[in-house]
Amino acid sequence: MGEGLTRAAARNIFYGGSIFFFVVFAALVLHSHWYAINRSTDAAGLTEAVARGKHVWERNSCINCHSLLGEGAYFAPEVGNVWIRYGGRDDPQAAREALKAWIQSMPTGIPGRRQMPRFELTDQEHDDLASFLEWVSKIDTQGWPPNEAG
Amino acid sequence: MRYASQKIAYWYFVCALALFLAQVLFGVLAGTVYVLPNFLSELVPFHILRMIHTNALIVWLLLGFFGATYYLLPEEAEREIHSMRLAQVQLVLFVGAAALAVVGYLFRIHEGREFLEQPLPLKIAIAAAVLIFLYNVSMTVLKGRKTAVSSVLLLGLWGAGLFFMFAFYNPSNLVLDKIYWWWVVHIWVEGVWELIMAAILAYLLIKVTGVDREVIEKWLYIIVGLSLFSGLLGTGHHYYWIGTPGYWQWIGSIFSTLEILPFFAMVLWAFYLLWRGGRDHPNKAALLWSVGCPTMAFFGAGVWGFMHTLHGVNYYSHGTQVTAAHAHLAFYGAYVMLNLAIITYAMPSLRGLMPYNQVLNMWSFWVMTSAVSFMTFTLTFAGVVQTHMQRVVGGYSYMEVQDQLGLFYWLRLGAGVVTAIGAAVFVYAVLGPVREQLTTVKGAERLAPAE
């Protein structure tokens, strides 16, 4: 098979082609980087609170149960649009309070129901996390998820 | 074993197998929580179980790659490893950092990006261990014979090390975070790790089939070419819905579909060489793993990957159990089986034995391969039902849908338990007492291929 091709030629195709495709890939990612800052996210709205909220999200490893824009574990609901599910578009203050109340009422301890652990967050952390989730809900995700269930 | 320094591979393989057992154990525990949600929920909650499950997997696969490299490189380069001392330091540093990370997770000490949860000091220790490794193996190759196997292997290992650097970049803008997070995760498993896999497989095929190196190495370049030509732009299939431009839907769909080609080529390669070689290598178990690996990788990474990679499909299936199904079979077929193949091949000479416990080893092959396949089927069914109810029909909340999937999760747990038994049998077969051993003089040395 492939008798006409020598090992040296196969090697040159491999190195040359890989460099070519990497350059194309890197160029597209650079454009996507620019697009993320200028088009798909609210860069001006990325406040200190949102940045701190992202760290609250990370410190508690929420991603190992939930998914965020479809990435993460698939053990608990998607939260990229949780702000919308909680009616944050119409009443941001009520959504903030509802999210906080939900987190504080965990774990439910109800037998046979998946348990969210207790995370001791300060009022500030609750607020920052809500700001982060609100900011995330405004990312232009090309229309994903298909519906509110996430 | 022709070089004394190959011996270091033994300890890498032992540590890898210990973490392999930890990985499947925590997988079984996490699978139990899916059906008995109150299990361990206060003591070790699900997110910690999963963190240990995924991290132990990554770490043991890397340890296997390190061990494989130390085992095969002296034969390829025709000289001893540059520094045994550095190889020992690297092992202690790497395993120490990994063990500390896992113990820390139990005490909720972790960072929060998926798979990159290791606290910063441990990330730095891991990076240092990898740098020591890269220096050590690069010096070995530079001073010795250069082959296609060692060139491709080294390129893959350097790529893995370099792209890990993106683990240290965590911007506040979530979209940027995700774009570069995939530079570690995707470029590893669907890029440079495929180079490592193909190179180790090439070494194994040279050894067990005895076919001329020139032919095998030409194929090696074709396969890794297909991997990178498709896999780099194939990253686009992760850029559909995370705030990246719409053109990724086309680029990602086309190039990630092509990602099936290197795996298909690997299957053809392995079976063609097996047929052409016609050599009766005594290590039948190693041969079975070497041929099983590309076959299952083709199904797990190739077919199951293609199943949900087109953007029109992925719009509905993204982030469901379909992804979990694909991930399990892809990792098992491509990287777990590869490591078990090289361990099965190398262990007899590392222990100074003729091929031993082969029947037991081959039992573990069939038990594990069947169980992980079954697990993949159950998760696929769960994912299809989930996708249909939650995304296509709609009107159900996430948890309402999950409550419909209990049967599949029970079956998955059963498959997980059988996988763990298969893994234990494998470890017992390679590390345990020698119950049967080939006694003929048909040793691997006599069958060393003409090069």
Side-chain angles (χ1 to χ4, degrees):
Chain A
M1 289 170 141
E3 262 75 17
L5 188 72
T6 64
R7 177 170 58 177
R11 184 193 62 210
N12 295 341
I13 292 169
F14 164 64
Y15 283 112
S18 297
I19 291 167
F20 170 78
F21 281 106
F22 184 77
V23 169
V24 173
F25 173 63
L28 288 171
V29 167
L30 273 180
H31 173 260
S32 300
H33 187 124
W34 174 87
Y35 178 92
I37 294 170
N38 296 291
R39 291 283 182 273
S40 61
T41 68
D42 176 12
L46 209 172
T47 58
E48 284 297 309
V50 173
R52 284 196 306 268
K54 183 166 181 278
H55 286 295
V56 174
W57 165 264
E58 290 169 357
R59 248 197 325 279
N60 295 288
S61 184
C62 310
I63 196 118
N64 268 303
C65 287
H66 292 278
S67 57
L68 183 62
L69 306 187
E71 294 165 3
Y74 321 110
F75 185 70
E78 162 71 23
V79 288
N81 65 344
V82 70
W83 184 255
I84 294 161
R85 270 205 302 282
Y86 272 61
R89 272 181 185 162
D90 302 323
D91 191 347
Q93 200 48 42
R96 267 171 200 270
E97 281 158 20
L99 278 169
K100 182 176 176 180
W102 175 265
I103 293 168
Q104 285 181 332
S105 66
M106 297 294 123
T108 62
I110 299 169
R113 237 194 108 73
R114 291 186 191 172
Q115 298 296 307
M116 177 163 155
R118 174 136 202 95
F119 294 108
E120 301 289 350
L121 304 185
T122 63
D123 287 346
Q124 165 96 57
E125 286 171 330
H126 275 291
D127 222 38
D128 291 341
L129 183 61
S131 301
F132 172 64
L133 292 173
E134 180 181 8
W135 185 86
V136 168
S137 76
K138 292 174 183 161
I139 295 172
D140 173 7
T141 55
Q142 310 281 335
W144 194 89
N147 58 46
E148 262 193 21
Chain B
M1 210 173 72
R2 277 182 275 168
Y3 299 88
S5 55
Q6 288 178 281
K7 184 78 189 163
I8 189 74
Y10 178 80
W11 293 106
Y12 278 88
F13 290 152
V14 168
C15 293
L17 290 174
L19 277 160
F20 177 35
L21 292 180
Q23 180 230 324
V24 292
L25 172 68
F26 278 85
V28 168
L29 293 177
T32 307
V33 178
Y34 261 91
V35 292
L36 301 170
N38 306 80
F39 176 66
L40 290 180
S41 65
E42 310 272 325
L43 195 62
V44 193
F46 181 86
H47 68 290
I48 302 292
L49 295 175
R50 182 176 185 273
M51 204 184 286
I52 296 177
H53 177 58
T54 56
N55 279 238
L57 168 72
I58 298 164
V59 167
W60 91 255
L61 293 178
L62 286 170
L63 280 167
F65 293 158
F66 296 151
T69 306
Y70 281 130
Y71 183 82
L72 70 82
L73 218 47
E75 289 183 13
E76 290 294 305
E78 294 181 334
R79 65 183 301 279
E80 298 285 353
I81 293 291
H82 174 66
S83 162
M84 279 296 270
R85 171 65 66 192
L86 283 180
Q88 289 157 352
V89 169
Q90 180 214 338
L91 179 67
V92 172
L93 189 59
F94 192 84
V95 174
L100 264 179
V102 167
V103 173
Y105 295 164
L106 290 170
F107 294 94
R108 320 275 173 99
I109 302 166
H110 52 71
E111 289 189 4
R113 291 198 298 161
E114 198 183 5
F115 314 133
L116 305 178
E117 293 92 347
Q118 314 80 32
L120 184 63
L122 296 182
K123 271 202 191 77
I124 293 170
I126 289 167
V130 171
L131 272 177
I132 291 171
F133 170 74
L134 290 172
Y135 168 77
N136 206 8
V137 295
S138 301
M139 291 305 286
T140 308
V141 169
L142 283 176
K143 289 181 177 173
R145 180 178 70 146
K146 288 144 195 84
T147 66
V149 170
S150 58
S151 307
V152 171
L153 181 61
L154 238 60
L155 187 65
L157 294 165
W158 270 100
L162 287 175
F163 283 103
F164 182 66
M165 293 303 125
F166 286 93
F168 294 95
Y169 174 61
N170 183 11
S172 297
N173 186 317
L174 182 75
V175 176
L176 296 182
D177 170 359
K178 283 178 176 289
I179 287 176
Y180 295 102
W181 179 82
W182 282 115
W183 278 49
V184 185
V185 178
H186 173 97
I187 306 258
W188 267 27
V189 301
E190 294 172 60
V192 293
W193 277 29
E194 283 182 35
L195 270 54
I196 299 170
M197 173 191 175
I200 295 174
L201 204 56
Y203 168 82
L204 282 168
L205 291 170
I206 289 171
K207 295 294 175 182
V208 298
T209 68
V211 172
D212 182 42
R213 175 183 282 274
E214 179 86 16
V215 177
I216 296 182
E217 290 190 335
K218 181 172 75 182
W219 272 72
L220 174 61
Y221 279 123
I222 294 170
I223 287 167
V224 294
L226 289 172
S227 293
L228 290 189
F229 301 171
S230 64
L232 288 169
L233 287 172
T235 314
H237 68 176
H238 302 293
Y239 291 169
Y240 293 161
W241 326 115
I242 60 167
T244 28
Y247 54 71
W248 286 111
Q249 293 176 24
W250 288 102
I251 296 171
S253 291
I254 292 166
F255 281 90
S256 68
T257 297
L258 298 176
E259 282 185 45
I260 202 167
L261 290 179
F263 291 106
F264 187 62
M266 273 192 243
V267 176
L268 291 182
W269 188 42
F271 279 94
Y272 170 70
L273 293 174
L274 199 66
W275 165 76
R276 183 166 153 172
R279 209 71 165 278
D280 192 20
H281 195 277
N283 198 331
K284 295 271 182 287
L287 197 119
L288 182 62
W289 285 107
S290 303
V291 176
C293 166
T295 308
M296 296 312 291
F298 168 70
F299 284 107
V303 178
W304 254 257
F306 173 70
M307 194 166 71
H308 59 140
T309 202
L310 297 176
H311 68 87
V313 174
N314 193 263
Y315 180 69
Y316 293 101
S317 68
H318 179 53
T320 65
Q321 296 296 326
V322 171
T323 316
H326 159 60
H328 280 85
L329 197 60
F331 264 98
Y332 176 74
Y335 302 122
V336 172
M337 291 181 86
L338 177 79
N339 270 310
L340 301 187
I342 184 78
I343 289 172
T344 299
Y345 174 78
M347 221 28 120
S349 74
L350 287 173
R351 289 180 65 177
L353 299 166
M354 298 293 287
Y356 60 95
N357 296 354
Q358 294 215 61
V359 176
L360 203 58
N361 188 312
M362 288 192 271
W363 267 106
S364 80
F365 172 96
W366 291 110
V367 170
M368 258 190 280
T369 303
S370 314
V372 177
S373 300
F374 190 77
M375 185 190 304
T376 303
F377 301 147
T378 61
L379 288 175
T380 305
F381 288 126
V384 171
V385 173
Q386 182 188 4
T387 301
H388 194 72
M389 287 182 73
Q390 191 176 317
R391 303 268 173 77
V392 180
V393 177
Y396 302 98
S397 77
Y398 173 88
M399 276 315 297
E400 282 169 343
V401 175
Q402 290 297 310
D403 286 341
Q404 298 298 314
L405 306 177
L407 173 67
F408 300 115
Y409 292 140
W410 273 109
L411 293 173
R412 186 268 296 271
L413 176 60
V417 170
V418 178
T419 305
I421 294 169
V425 171
F426 179 87
V427 172
Y428 183 77
V430 296
L431 294 181
V434 178
R435 295 149 59 93
E436 40 141 334
Q437 188 182 179
L438 291 186
T439 48
T440 59
V441 286
K442 266 179 24 175
E445 282 75 17
R446 204 175 71 81
L447 282 176
E451 297 195 13

